Amino acid sequence: MNKSKKILLGGISCWLAFGVFLFSYLAHASWITALDQWGYHLLQPTTALRTSIYAVITRLGDPTTVFTITVLIGLLCWWRHRLATGGWYLGIQVIGYLLVIAVKYSVVRPRPTHQLVAARGYSFPSGHTFATTLFTLTIITLLWPHLHRRWQRVLLSVVGAVWILAVMSSRVYLRDHYSTDVLAGLLLAAGWWLLTSLIKPRVIK
């Protein structure tokens, strides 16, 4: 199996898994509730210090913050005569988030109650998780060619994974999302990244 087929299979698998979460929620599957409760209790107890830390993390993972930084990256790419590259990453972030909004307003899942940091809109899937995942993958992709040692690439991958997990955890801890919301956001973003990467070579020559 060549690389393109593996990427295609990976993207489809992520979206199929996302579909399982989506339709299981719509069908009121008991395992969705169980997973949500497990994720919430995993992040307890609630303390003032942890709330402050998670509040900072969730602000950094906010789609508006991520989009602003992505625009700056696009401008940097333009300055370095890589306009197509900057436009590509900005485009998949914007179009991808429109996909998130479309799903949110189709599913209309209410957010958890007693939020520690107020959040508006619907809950499924997590926009913070989606935007953060795409942004992290963008940073990794841009830095990867400049890292020539194996340990550097491993470290970058670990830091990226930890950051995505931190944002996901912050959304559940702050009671702005259920566990299944952030997992669905991760799967939707991963699938979107993999599938769009297949057409990237045709856009960026």
Side-chain angles (χ1 to χ4, degrees), residues 29-188:
S30 59
W31 70 268
I32 291 288
T33 302
L35 183 55
D36 288 336
Q37 293 175 345
W38 177 82
Y40 173 74
H41 290 300
L42 183 66
L43 294 169
Q44 294 306 298
T46 301
T47 67
L49 177 60
R50 296 182 74 195
T51 299
S52 298
I53 293 173
Y54 276 127
V56 172
I57 292 174
T58 210
R59 279 195 292 270
L60 293 174
D62 186 277
T64 302
T65 303
V66 171
F67 177 74
T68 301
I69 299 175
T70 304
V71 169
L72 294 177
I73 292 175
L75 291 174
L76 178 61
C77 289
W78 172 75
W79 180 68
R80 300 189 64 178
H81 306 289
R82 298 177 61 187
L83 180 60
T85 299
W88 170 262
Y89 291 119
L90 183 60
I92 62 172
Q93 185 73 254
V94 172
I95 297 173
Y97 199 71
L98 291 177
L99 174 62
V100 171
I101 293 175
V103 176
K104 279 179 176 286
Y105 280 86
S106 298
V107 178
V108 293
R109 185 184 197 183
R111 291 184 184 272
T113 56
H114 309 297
Q115 298 170 2
L116 299 180
V117 172
R120 295 176 293 180
Y122 296 113
S123 193
F124 184 96
S126 167
H128 279 66
T129 302
F130 183 93
T132 297
T133 300
L134 286 188
F135 175 75
T136 302
L137 291 173
T138 296
I139 296 299
I140 290 175
T141 302
L142 290 174
L143 293 179
W144 198 265
H146 304 286
L147 304 178
H148 304 294
R149 296 183 181 275
R150 179 180 174 82
W151 70 265
Q152 293 174 328
R153 293 183 170 185
V154 171
L155 178 61
L156 179 64
S157 300
V158 170
V159 170
V162 169
W163 176 244
I164 293 172
L165 183 60
V167 173
M168 293 171 66
S169 300
S170 76
R171 303 307 287 160
V172 176
Y173 174 88
L174 296 171
R175 304 169 194 166
D176 291 323
H177 280 291
Y178 297 100
S179 303
T180 47
D181 296 333
V182 297
L183 290 171
L186 176 65
L187 290 168
L188 186 63

Side-chain angles (χ1 to χ4, degrees), residues 11-25:
I12 292 175
S13 298
C14 287
W15 275 15
L16 286 175
F18 169 79
V20 171
F21 278 93
L22 172 60
F23 290 110
S24 294
Y25 166 71

